Amino acid sequence: MKKSTELIRNKDFYNEIAGKKVRTINPPLYNGSTVLFDSYEDLTAAIAGRYKGIAYGTDRLPSQRGFEEGLRCLESGYITRAFPSGINAIINTLLTYTKSGDHILICENVYGPTAHFCKKVLNKYNVGVDFLPGALNADIKSHIKDNTKVIYLESPGSNTFEIHDIPAITAIARKKKVITMLDNTWATPLYLKPLEMGIDISIQSVSKYISGHSDLLLGAVTVNEQYSKEFLKFYRTMENFASPHDCALALRGLKTLHVRLKHHEQSALTIAKHLQTVDVVDTVIHPALPEHPQHHLWQRDFSGSTGLFAFTFKEQYLEEQLAIFINTLELFGIGFSWGGYKSLITAGRYQRSGSPLSGKTVIRLNIGLEDTNDLLTDLEQSFTALVKY
Ligand SMILES: Cc1ncc(COP(=O)(O)O)c(C=O)c1O
């Protein structure tokens, strides 16, 4: 037999060495499109839809299934499925439960591409979309129409960090048979349990805290029992598929999430409190600070805070002054996304009318895992450069 044939024929040659099974602490990473059947009988069972095993890579290999099950437990859900990115998870979930003629309510402060999808695609397919401003509560009742199918929330809201009154909203939604979805990326299931508060579907951008290392794009959706059938039907039809490698990294991330979040939380709070004492800073926007307008809701519903928050300046600085402030930072990278070990900064003029932040420059910080005092020193030298300019 040729070496090339031998190489192909030899199966599992690293799973057992000298008669001993290889038992790494972490599960093996399964990659694959083809999954071999043991026999012709298994093949025919798969063709007939009776096969209980994994028939093909798109059935989700053990690496995907392991991650999904880990997250499902944390979210207290009925099923969890992984998607190629957070925004892909959001889009597919909205598509699952809407059809032409339906109407959805969505908070205005959602992640930008979520709003963009609703405006550009749902509207195009005749799904009515109403954006509701600010922190939502029981008043949402007056916006529910006969054809309202979904209420979509993100708490805290992207960039502006408003907290919604989730139990008040879910109580009304349940009565009116409206499905509730929440983007739970900021708190993760460790600091907020949406399904236990009556939310039907919790969505994660796993690219953020769960993976924690800014080295992958992945999303996940956890659904309660009531809406799981409809979800699975659509999921199978759409053939969405997350990479096994990314799922293996995400499963690894889940195991250290609690330790990393504690550091993000403490460091971000220390820095947020320090920023409140800085002369040029106007408002520090962080739900765990007592001054935050919905602090009482955060205190009631969340069991912790994480590393992403924002602040504004008292003065409206020129672009070149903002550039001095941001470019002088040495430890903060300038870049999108968040939840990883490296501290990051972004800045932008807040555009939405009717908000107290309207027209102001909002500086968003992702506090990573560096030493807190080093980050404070870095911010200090940038404030000094800004004031000197
Ligand atoms: C709140 C929130 N949800 C979802 C997403 C989308 O996640 P992904 O980058 O994995 O597509 C982001 C990305 O920044 C986000 O901030």
Side-chain angles (χ1 to χ4, degrees):
M1 191 183 291
K2 286 265 194 291
K3 284 273 178 235
S4 55
T5 308
E6 208 176 315
L7 191 66
I8 290 168
R9 186 182 179 217
N10 224 338
K11 51 178 186 178
D12 288 352
F13 49 93
Y14 291 121
N15 282 351
E16 209 174 279
I17 302 288
K20 295 277 184 198
K21 284 253 179 281
V22 179
R23 296 172 61 227
T24 52
I25 290 179
N26 291 297
L29 166 60
Y30 290 86
N31 280 308
S33 47
T34 301
V35 181
L36 295 174
F37 296 106
D38 282 345
S39 62
Y40 170 72
E41 290 83 345
D42 280 353
L43 171 71
T44 50
I47 292 168
R50 285 185 280 101
Y51 186 64
K52 297 273 182 265
I54 297 174
Y56 189 55
T58 53
D59 269 355
R60 297 146 49 243
L61 300 170
S63 305
Q64 284 99 323
R65 289 173 184 232
F67 163 64
E68 289 168 352
E69 181 55 16
L71 184 57
R72 188 197 65 75
C73 289
L74 290 182
E75 291 267 26
S76 311
Y78 189 70
I79 49 153
T80 296
R81 288 293 178 268
F83 288 82
S85 69
I87 188 62
N88 186 274
I90 292 166
I91 287 173
N92 273 283
T93 309
L94 283 166
L95 284 176
T96 305
Y97 297 99
T98 52
K99 62 176 182 340
S100 174
D102 287 343
H103 167 252
I104 73 163
L105 291 171
I106 182 161
C107 57
E108 200 179 57
N109 48 14
V110 280
Y111 173 55
T114 305
H116 186 73
F117 168 77
C118 292
K119 286 178 200 158
K120 297 290 168 194
V121 182
L122 288 187
N123 268 333
K124 178 174 149 187
Y125 290 104
N126 192 33
V127 176
V129 182
D130 278 334
F131 287 89
L132 302 179
L136 304 180
N137 51 36
D139 294 345
I140 201 162
K141 193 174 175 182
S142 61
H143 299 275
I144 297 178
K145 302 178 184 176
D146 288 346
N147 61 341
T148 303
K149 195 74 193 295
V150 168
I151 294 175
Y152 185 99
L153 305 169
E154 188 180 310
S155 196
S158 271
N159 300 320
T160 45
F161 299 91
E162 294 91 345
I163 302 279
H164 305 299
D165 189 340
I166 298 172
I169 296 168
T170 55
I172 289 161
R174 289 261 153 126
K175 270 197 207 130
K176 301 259 183 194
K177 296 194 170 33
V178 176
I179 303 166
T180 48
M181 304 173 181
L182 182 113
D183 182 329
N184 191 26
T185 304
W186 185 85
T188 85
L190 292 191
Y191 288 168
L192 184 75
K193 301 270 187 207
L195 274 76
E196 291 175 11
M197 296 165 75
I199 291 281
D200 298 306
I201 297 165
S202 174
I203 304 175
Q204 281 289 329
S205 163
V206 179
S207 324
K208 312 291 190 275
Y209 288 115
I210 293 178
S211 68
H213 291 71
S214 311
D215 52 0
L216 58 87
L217 278 166
L218 193 68
V221 179
T222 302
V223 185
N224 64 13
E225 186 171 3
Q226 188 181 358
Y227 293 109
S228 59
K229 259 197 187 149
E230 206 172 340
F231 183 83
L232 284 179
K233 217 167 128 187
F234 193 80
Y235 176 84
R236 288 197 197 105
T237 307
M238 295 306 281
E239 296 282 4
N240 266 298
F241 192 65
S243 130
H245 185 251
D246 290 348
C247 288
L249 286 177
L251 178 60
R252 184 173 71 164
L254 273 185
K255 291 173 186 172
T256 57
L257 182 61
H258 62 295
V259 186
R260 289 184 285 109
L261 277 193
K262 268 278 156 267
H263 186 102
H264 287 296
E265 174 173 33
Q266 278 158 11
S267 194
L269 261 177
T270 305
I271 292 169
K273 283 178 190 162
H274 173 79
L275 289 176
Q276 288 184 308
T277 69
V278 173
D279 271 353
V280 294
V281 169
D282 186 16
T283 312
V284 181
I285 314 162
H286 188 314
L289 293 176
E291 295 79 9
H292 186 280
Q294 295 88 39
H295 176 68
H296 59 293
L297 294 180
W298 172 80
Q299 230 174 2
R300 187 193 66 189
D301 296 340
F302 292 66
S303 56
S305 60
T306 56
L308 189 79
F309 68 96
F311 68 91
T312 58
F313 287 114
K314 286 182 184 143
E315 223 177 285
Q316 188 62 264
Y317 289 115
L318 299 170
E319 284 296 292
E320 56 258 43
Q321 290 172 298
L322 287 175
I324 289 285
F325 174 69
I326 290 176
N327 293 339
T328 305
L329 289 166
E330 285 177 10
L331 297 179
F332 286 81
I334 307 165
F336 296 123
S337 205
W338 43 279
Y341 61 85
K342 180 165 177 61
S343 289
L344 299 170
I345 187 164
T346 57
R349 186 76 67 90
Y350 194 69
Q351 306 287 4
R352 270 175 230 139
S353 57
S355 159
L357 293 173
S358 183
K360 294 197 172 192
T361 299
V362 176
I363 310 285
R364 193 185 75 173
L365 297 179
N366 169 62
I367 302 302
L369 299 180
E370 302 90 341
D371 179 79
T372 312
N373 286 329
D374 288 339
L375 293 176
L376 285 171
T377 307
D378 197 27
L379 284 164
E380 249 352 278
Q381 54 100 17
S382 267
F383 282 124
T384 306
L386 172 70
V387 174
K388 259 199 204 155
Y389 181 76

